[in-house]
Amino acid sequence: MAARAGVAKATAARALGDYGAVSAKVRARVQDAASALGYRPNAVARSMSTGRSKAIGIIVGDIENSAFAQATRGAADVAEAAGYDLILSNSREEVEAERKAIDLHLAKRVDGLVIAPASSTHPANFLDIVDAGRPLVFFDRIVHGVEADAVVAANREGATRLADVLLQAGHRRIAYVSALDDISSGGFRSRWDAESREFVPGLQSSVIAERITGFTGALQRAGIGDPLAYVRLGADEENARRIVSDLVTGDDAVTAIFASDSMVSFHAFRAIRDLGLRIPDDISLVGFDNAPWTSVTEPAITVISQPSRELGALSTQILIERIEGATGPMRVQVLPQELIERGSVSRPRG
């Protein structure tokens, strides 16, 4: 290829690797020769010679979750515009799967990683990234004990606003339902501190911790004595129907459900309908994430819309800036959320 382009091998390598001093005319000639010969650059070899792979990794919790899909799209747009490839992995919200994904990305010599961590209380997974000298940016959640940039949404404030919608409609028995598996046989793994209204040392997900804190704070200000009474965790696809059914039936049934994300909202919506109950006449339903389905159901669901695409885009932009030499203290940037009121809330019966 170098011979076809009429240049030395070292010059061809610099032109294809996009490093070193090469004129635009020579670079174009080398690239034309490479195209004619069907040459495909070896990314690993290029990274060994230049120190850069021009690839970044993104690890999300659940690619089926529309919020993560939007975040990945935002990350991909920013990466492409900056000339970087984006490599996606799914942790399934499992710490061990996340560790394997990190190992894979490091083996591919990515220049840095954007991660929605599977656990906010398990910093060990990220030590190899730090040791490898790769920049790291968290998005959607933070990890306690890891010094890294992060981009998150204003979850505490969003949860407060959503709870206030239900309280202002007259609800007092309100359930908060999350798929987060952070419970043991004795209840929450973390201790709830009533004075600070926080879990100590913290739930596995900083997002859910912030949302529960916002939710319970709103209930306490409304004079509700035990704001944790109807908080339910572990509502994954397998258990959500049972949990919702238990909450909305019986003598002490709740009159409203606050779902922690769009997947829980969907499971709750289906369980309520399957029980022959009506939304919002029999039970009100609100949730986080403005998934497409929430606007086309009957009734449409009141939600907090997250800046999902912006979370992915900004975290990727910060990562690229770090890769390209930006210095300064690590920062946690907080993006606002939007309340979208629809038809899934009414006054409780009785």
Side-chain angles (χ1 to χ4, degrees):
M1 179 180 58
R4 185 182 182 108
V7 299
K9 290 182 179 180
T11 302
R14 289 197 300 272
L16 291 172
D18 197 22
Y19 68 95
V22 180
S23 70
K25 183 177 180 180
V26 169
R27 179 175 285 106
R29 199 161 71 235
V30 171
Q31 289 174 345
D32 288 344
S35 178
L37 294 171
Y39 171 80
R40 293 180 179 274
N42 185 311
V44 174
R46 179 179 64 185
S47 69
M48 292 177 67
S49 62
T50 67
R52 296 273 186 88
S53 65
K54 297 296 286 186
I56 58 179
I58 181 170
I59 303 175
V60 303
D62 182 1
I63 57 176
E64 288 188 328
N65 187 318
S66 62
F68 284 129
Q70 286 294 312
T72 301
R73 174 60 188 272
D77 289 346
V78 170
E80 181 180 11
Y84 285 79
D85 294 324
L86 186 71
I87 303 174
L88 169 66
S89 290
N90 181 42
S91 72
R92 305 191 303 276
E93 303 286 16
E94 297 173 3
V95 169
E96 181 59 23
E98 178 183 76
R99 184 192 64 78
K100 291 179 178 179
I102 290 172
D103 288 346
L104 173 64
H105 285 279
L106 292 178
K108 291 181 177 293
R109 303 180 67 87
V110 295
D111 293 332
L113 282 153
V114 174
I115 301 177
S119 171
S120 295
T121 60
H122 193 86
N125 272 3
F126 310 101
L127 298 181
D128 286 345
I129 302 174
V130 176
D131 291 344
R134 298 289 192 269
L136 166 66
V137 179
F138 295 123
F139 77 97
D140 189 57
R141 307 121 184 224
I142 62 171
V143 177
H144 307 298
V146 178
E147 187 177 359
D149 293 300
V151 183
V152 299
N155 287 290
R156 187 178 302 199
E157 292 81 357
T160 298
R161 294 176 68 191
L162 204 51
D164 282 341
V165 169
L166 296 172
L167 290 166
Q168 290 166 11
H171 294 276
R172 290 298 179 267
R173 296 194 307 277
I174 306 170
Y176 181 96
V177 184
S178 170
L180 178 68
D181 182 15
D182 205 353
I183 50 178
S184 64
S185 58
F188 296 110
R189 292 192 181 98
S190 293
R191 178 180 63 84
W192 173 257
D193 185 276
E195 184 175 347
S196 65
R197 298 202 311 272
E198 292 183 346
F199 287 96
V200 179
L203 295 180
Q204 289 186 34
S205 170
S206 64
V207 170
I208 303 306
E210 286 287 295
R211 291 177 184 176
I212 292 178
T213 299
F215 169 79
T216 54
L219 267 58
Q220 283 184 320
R221 286 189 293 274
I224 295 175
D226 183 7
L228 287 177
Y230 299 109
V231 173
R232 299 291 185 270
L233 304 184
D236 56 15
E237 185 172 2
E238 181 179 349
N239 297 310
R241 177 184 172 84
R242 173 185 56 79
I243 289 172
V244 171
S245 297
D246 290 345
L247 285 168
V248 301
T249 58
D251 295 336
D252 196 32
V254 300
T255 61
I257 288 182
F258 182 134
S260 65
D261 60 51
S262 62
M263 297 300 292
V264 174
S265 295
F266 176 75
H267 294 315
F269 183 91
R270 187 168 61 181
I272 292 167
R273 286 292 180 89
D274 288 348
L275 288 168
L277 300 175
R278 295 170 298 171
I279 301 171
D281 296 342
D282 298 313
I283 185 159
S284 293
L285 174 64
V286 300
F288 267 85
D289 301 340
N290 187 29
W293 72 267
T294 62
S295 64
V296 297
T297 55
E298 181 55 46
I301 310 300
T302 292
V303 297
I304 286 287
S305 178
Q306 293 198 83
S308 299
R309 186 171 296 201
E310 291 81 0
L311 287 171
L314 181 55
S315 57
T316 303
Q317 182 61 49
I318 293 171
L319 180 71
I320 291 172
E321 290 172 359
R322 292 292 190 187
I323 291 170
E324 297 182 351
T327 58
M330 305 297 181
R331 297 182 300 163
V332 176
Q333 299 199 42
V334 181
L335 303 183
Q337 300 172 319
E338 179 187 2
L339 171 64
I340 303 175
E341 295 192 61
R342 296 175 175 142
S344 63
V345 177
S346 67
R347 296 194 62 80
R349 283 189 166 186

